[in-house]
Amino acid sequence: MKICLQLAILFGVCLAGEGLSVLLPFPFPASVAAMLLLLLLFVLRVLRVPAVEETADFFLRTMALLFVPATVAILKSLETVRDILFPLLIICVLCTVFTFLAAAGAATLVIRLQERFASKGGVRHD
């Protein structure tokens, strides 16, 4: 029953993200809107991490399966992609490296800000 509640919460946030993206006067990805809503719920402490942790961990562990259909589709159209395969691979590798560096930089910045806040007598949230 716990997992059903966690799924309902996550799907509800996704649905709210869909609704928000429809209401906005400019194109905005619903998945990004849902992630921002989830972040807002965590920041405002309306929702705590343990409330969705088990189901979110499951989704993270099985996320690689979501890329199988896209990979198969690319392999099926290999003749079309063959001419641009090398530049495509270079772009994928560079994007992966830049994404990793951006994530590492953001994590480092957040850790430093938390440490600075804690050293000034603030309450540290781990």
Side-chain angles (χ1 to χ4, degrees):
M1 195 64 179
K2 179 181 174 183
I3 291 176
C4 289
L5 178 62
Q6 291 181 8
L7 272 173
I9 291 170
L10 290 175
F11 287 152
V13 170
C14 288
L15 183 63
E18 288 284 341
L20 182 62
S21 71
V22 168
L23 293 175
L24 290 173
F26 52 88
F28 196 79
S31 57
V32 175
M35 285 190 286
L36 291 173
L37 286 172
L38 189 61
L39 176 65
L40 185 65
L41 290 174
F42 286 145
V43 168
L44 296 177
R45 297 176 187 249
V46 174
L47 187 63
R48 303 258 183 204
V49 172
V52 293
E53 188 171 27
E54 193 175 343
T55 302
D57 284 343
F58 168 76
F59 283 137
L60 285 174
R61 283 191 313 269
T62 58
M63 186 171 43
L65 292 174
L66 300 175
F67 293 100
V68 172
T71 305
V72 170
I74 289 172
L75 289 176
K76 285 176 73 174
S77 60
L78 192 58
E79 292 296 322
T80 308
V81 180
R82 184 170 298 179
D83 294 336
I84 61 166
L85 192 58
F86 185 70
L88 184 64
L89 289 175
I90 296 287
I91 290 169
C92 287
V93 168
L94 288 175
C95 286
T96 301
V97 169
F98 288 138
T99 302
F100 174 75
L101 291 174
T108 302
L109 178 65
V110 168
I111 290 169
R112 286 183 183 160
L113 288 173
Q114 284 180 335
E115 288 172 350
R116 185 179 305 159
F117 183 71
S119 69
K120 291 183 180 179
V123 178
R124 184 173 177 174
H125 300 285
D126 292 303

